[in-house]
Amino acid sequence: MGLNKRFRIGFVGLVGFASLAAPLAAQETGAWRLAPESDLSAMLDCFEASGQTLISAHRGGPTPGLPENAIPTMDALLMAAPAIMEVDVGQSVDGVLFLLHDDRLERTTTGTGEAAAQPWAALSQLKLKDNWGWVTPYAIPRLEEALAWAKGRTVLQIDFKRSADYGKVAAAIRAAGMEKSVILIAYSVDQAAALHRAAPEMLISVSVDALEDVAALKRAGIPEERMVAFTGTRLPRPELYRELDSQNIEVIFGTLGRPPRSIDAVIDRYGMDERYAELGKEGVDILATDRPREAAAALAEAGRLPKAGQCGVSRGE
């Protein structure tokens, strides 16, 4: 075995040990928890009324040694900051729902080929890679495992891969008792309408560039109280945020994206973390980011990060 391979195994092993210990550490040192007291819409209203901005960790907030869309990764982030978790759901050829972003396996796992073309027996044997290409000890999680982990801990934002059946996902969410702690992501009016038919009791993240988009969504049968408006990743729109607020629709804005052009990358490059708090002040209720720890620190410094004892947020003893 070469030195480089031994180093990689040792490095990942150390990270893996720390990550596997995270659930125990959460009980000892205080993991954050976000659990709606009645429903998620009321929780979001409470944050807005309190002048707080919620972090949504893109793909669960991966870091070196902790891969995207993995339960240990999300568990580790909750030790650092209160956050909701955005995850991607696909479906195996034999009908098992699992977390994975890419259609193909090569970038994020030790496998090859189309993920949706594989049976779960094969997918379950693969190991996840982190975003730097290191092979980790972690396997692809099933959706039901992620839902069981998230219950009472946090909210999941669920992005659908083409292979995922809306009805099966909705049924899994209900079986886990998580229907009041999810936001389903839609990118078109047709997709939003289909998701609303499958899960009328759940919130839906809908793409909104103008109030006409809200009107189109209403015509498709989606009530305002089930909408959370995703307003893009390029240009903040405070005037649109005010208009949406007047209709009691919460605002998501994404600083995420491929570097070097994403807002996250620009903020990092120029050392402007305070911009996260400024976006909150401009009317962003949920900040979707690839830098959840840095964004949370900036929000905390500005007094805009959710606090324990507020709006269903707590922290373990």
Side-chain angles (χ1 to χ4, degrees), residues 184-249:
L184 310 180
I185 297 175
Y187 295 99
S188 68
V189 172
D190 288 345
Q191 185 183 14
L195 283 173
H196 183 63
R197 288 193 296 271
E201 76 276 34
M202 302 179 202
L203 291 187
I204 301 175
S205 168
V206 292
S207 296
V208 174
D209 189 54
L211 288 186
E212 289 78 8
D213 297 325
V214 174
L217 289 157
K218 288 182 184 178
R219 288 194 297 271
I222 304 163
E224 291 174 357
E225 61 268 22
R226 288 292 171 261
M227 297 183 197
V228 183
F230 181 75
T231 59
T233 61
R234 295 295 182 190
L235 183 66
R237 302 269 302 281
E239 70 287 348
L240 176 60
Y241 305 159
R242 287 190 292 271
E243 292 170 342
L244 291 167
D245 182 55
S246 71
Q247 298 194 37
N248 198 31
I249 298 173

Side-chain angles (χ1 to χ4, degrees), residues 161-317:
K161 309 311 293 181
R162 288 173 294 182
S163 58
D165 179 88
Y166 297 167
K168 283 179 67 76
V169 173
I173 292 167
R174 293 187 188 106
M178 278 285 288
E179 58 267 35
K180 294 182 179 180
S181 294
V182 295
I183 302 173
L184 310 180
I185 297 175
Y187 295 99
S188 68
V189 172
D190 288 345
Q191 185 183 14
L195 283 173
H196 183 63
R197 288 193 296 271
E201 76 276 34
M202 302 179 202
L203 291 187
I204 301 175
S205 168
V206 292
S207 296
V208 174
D209 189 54
L211 288 186
E212 289 78 8
D213 297 325
V214 174
L217 289 157
K218 288 182 184 178
R219 288 194 297 271
I222 304 163
E224 291 174 357
E225 61 268 22
R226 288 292 171 261
M227 297 183 197
V228 183
F230 181 75
T231 59
T233 61
R234 295 295 182 190
L235 183 66
R237 302 269 302 281
E239 70 287 348
L240 176 60
Y241 305 159
R242 287 190 292 271
E243 292 170 342
L244 291 167
D245 182 55
S246 71
Q247 298 194 37
N248 198 31
I249 298 173
E250 274 72 36
V251 170
I252 305 176
F253 179 72
T255 55
L256 51 81
R258 293 182 180 178
R261 295 184 177 181
S262 72
I263 293 176
D264 275 334
V266 172
I267 288 174
D268 186 25
R269 186 158 63 247
Y270 292 104
M272 301 187 304
D273 284 2
E274 67 276 5
R275 184 65 180 127
Y276 293 117
E278 292 169 0
L279 287 167
K281 292 175 185 176
E282 290 170 0
V284 173
D285 300 303
I286 301 175
L287 193 62
T289 178
D290 285 316
R291 303 180 73 229
R293 290 166 175 81
E294 294 84 356
L299 289 167
E301 186 173 350
R304 297 195 64 87
L305 191 70
K307 301 174 179 65
Q310 171 194 47
C311 306
V313 178
S314 63
R315 200 168 191 186
E317 296 294 330

